[in-house]
Amino acid sequence: MNIPTTSMSVGMCMRVLDINLSVRAQSKLQCLLSRYMTGDRYYHNLRHIEEGLPEVVRLCNLFCMAPHERLLSLFIWLFHDLDKDSISKSAREFVIYAKDEMGLEPELVRFGYRGIYATDHKHNPHNFIIKTILDIDLKRLASPWDEFCQHSRELKLEKTHLGDERFRTWQIEQLRWFLSRKSIYLTGLFCEHELQARANITRALAELGVPP
């Protein structure tokens, strides 16, 4: 099967990774993923999820992952933005689904929970799978400049409740935080994107009228 490089559907990803769910689990998953298609999703939407799926497949194939590792890599990615305003709610949704629909062992449920929580990007996790999921989540920082700007506009549309000034403050804090890190990307799989991401962030801060 030819693996798309820019985007792929959840169903194709599951077939490629040989992940099989019960009919009930599939139905519940479709219901949960429909949240990514609501009208208030401009950035954290299904397009963002589908763009990351080829990278999840690359991760799993590159390291010849065991079935449970493939499943967790996929489901951490699928659930990490399920609630676009609350990582803790997204993580709890995963726990409920993992227990009720997949019957995962408690150790695997805890791993998935920790992986989703790590997507707040405030800490450097030790596990390579989780590190890579975080890198996938930040890949858009290295987009071509026009796309980078479009993503910024989409984020602003999702955060209209903040108002212009508070959003500007939040955006500056986020950009400076990523720029202050020794490396934006945590794994060698994404080191090729480091320079472009830093260039974009530096330019964005300059256009906001603040030093990096």
Side-chain angles (χ1 to χ4, degrees), residues 9-35:
S9 70
V10 176
M12 172 180 276
C13 184
M14 293 180 69
R15 289 193 296 274
V16 170
L17 296 180
D18 196 25
I19 294 173
N20 298 299
L21 301 176
S22 69
V23 172
R24 171 177 151 166
Q26 289 181 37
S27 177
K28 179 63 175 178
L29 182 63
Q30 289 175 356
C31 181
L32 289 170
L33 295 182
S34 68
R35 297 184 194 177

Side-chain angles (χ1 to χ4, degrees), residues 178-192:
F178 288 124
L179 203 59
S180 72
R181 288 161 47 155
K182 182 178 179 181
S183 298
I184 294 172
Y185 298 102
L186 305 177
T187 71
L189 295 177
F190 287 81
C191 62
E192 64 185 298

Side-chain angles (χ1 to χ4, degrees), residues 75-94:
F75 276 81
I76 290 171
W77 179 249
L78 292 181
F79 275 75
H80 82 283
D81 281 332
L82 195 62
D83 189 306
K84 64 180 176 61
D85 299 313
S86 174
I87 288 175
S88 62
K89 290 181 181 179
S90 296
R92 288 197 297 270
E93 290 274 19
F94 167 78

Side-chain angles (χ1 to χ4, degrees), residues 114-115 118 121-132 134 186:
R114 291 196 304 270
H121 298 283
K122 293 179 180 178
H123 306 94
N124 187 348
H126 298 296
N127 183 272
F128 187 79
I129 292 175
I130 297 176
K131 283 178 182 282
T132 307
L134 301 193
L186 305 177

Side-chain angles (χ1 to χ4, degrees), residues 95-110:
V95 169
I96 294 169
Y97 181 85
K99 289 180 176 179
D100 293 352
E101 307 301 334
M102 294 192 292
L104 291 187
E105 296 293 328
E107 181 181 354
L108 299 182
V109 175
R110 287 193 293 271

Side-chain angles (χ1 to χ4, degrees), residues 31-77:
C31 181
L32 289 170
L33 295 182
S34 68
R35 297 184 194 177
Y36 284 112
M37 296 182 282
T38 57
D40 60 343
R41 297 283 190 142
Y42 297 94
Y43 181 89
H44 299 98
N45 52 24
L46 189 61
R47 186 178 75 249
H48 172 52
I49 296 300
E50 291 180 340
E51 285 177 0
L53 291 177
E55 296 293 352
V56 173
V57 170
R58 181 167 75 113
L59 165 68
C60 294
N61 288 343
L62 193 60
F63 294 96
C64 301
M65 287 186 177
H68 73 278
E69 292 174 320
R70 296 199 301 269
L71 185 145
L72 286 170
S73 297
L74 174 60
F75 276 81
I76 290 171
W77 179 249

